[in-house]
């Protein structure tokens, strides 16, 4: 049974990644100063993800729409990132957004809808003020 699902994933992965590429929205436009501030804030964020996970694709599309330069860490194929996710977040579950606080602590945010809501709350306002 496990082999069956692995085969299904193997077949569907290229189609899922192609669909992501074709349907990823263009980034919001910000002034250079606003984008620099957003880029600086994104230095505190890292997305732990699997390339073909539909929930990770959903988060990556929102990251692209918001024009965020967030480090993406492949926890499926990179053992170091997988260990960081398990040790820091407590479980190997993706997507997971690691948010580093000013004090150097880390908050681990799971669930695609919660990650998207956090990113929209934190970064959409700068783009919305530009579009007004």
């Amino acid at each position: 049974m496990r082999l069956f699902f692995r085969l299904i994933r193997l077949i569907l992965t290229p189609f899922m990644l192609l669909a992501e590429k074709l349907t990823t929205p263009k980034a919001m436009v910000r002034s250079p100063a606003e984008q620099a501030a957003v880029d600086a804030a994104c230095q505190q964020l890292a997305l732990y993800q699997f390339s073909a996970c539909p929930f990770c694709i959903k988060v990556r599309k929102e990251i692209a729409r918001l024009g965020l330069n967030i480090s993406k860490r492949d926890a499926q194929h990179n053992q170091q990132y997988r260990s960081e996710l398990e040790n820091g977040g407590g479980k190997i579950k993706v997507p997971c957004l690691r948010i580093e606080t000013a004090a150097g602590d880390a908050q681990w945010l799971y669930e695609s809808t919660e990650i998207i809501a956090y990113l929209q709350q934190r970064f959409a306002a700068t783009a919305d003020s530009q579009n007004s």
Side-chain angles (χ1 to χ4, degrees), residues 3 18-19 23 45 47 60-61 75 83 92 100 107 111 116:
L3 184 60
L18 178 62
T23 61
L45 305 174
L47 179 69
R60 289 195 306 261
K61 284 176 146 185
S83 295
I92 299 173
E100 190 172 324
Q107 175 188 356
E111 301 301 328
I116 289 170

Side-chain angles (χ1 to χ4, degrees), residues 20-66:
E20 177 187 9
K21 191 81 157 166
L22 295 174
T23 61
T24 296
K26 295 212 181 281
M28 295 179 156
V29 178
R30 295 183 180 90
S31 71
E34 285 178 324
Q35 188 62 48
V38 167
D39 289 345
C42 287
Q43 294 296 313
Q44 310 304 320
L45 305 174
L47 179 69
Y48 290 79
Q49 46 107 35
F50 294 173
S51 62
C53 165
F55 300 104
C56 296
I57 290 171
K58 180 178 165 183
V59 171
R60 289 195 306 261
K61 284 176 146 185
E62 186 62 18
I63 287 171
R65 188 185 74 76
L66 292 171

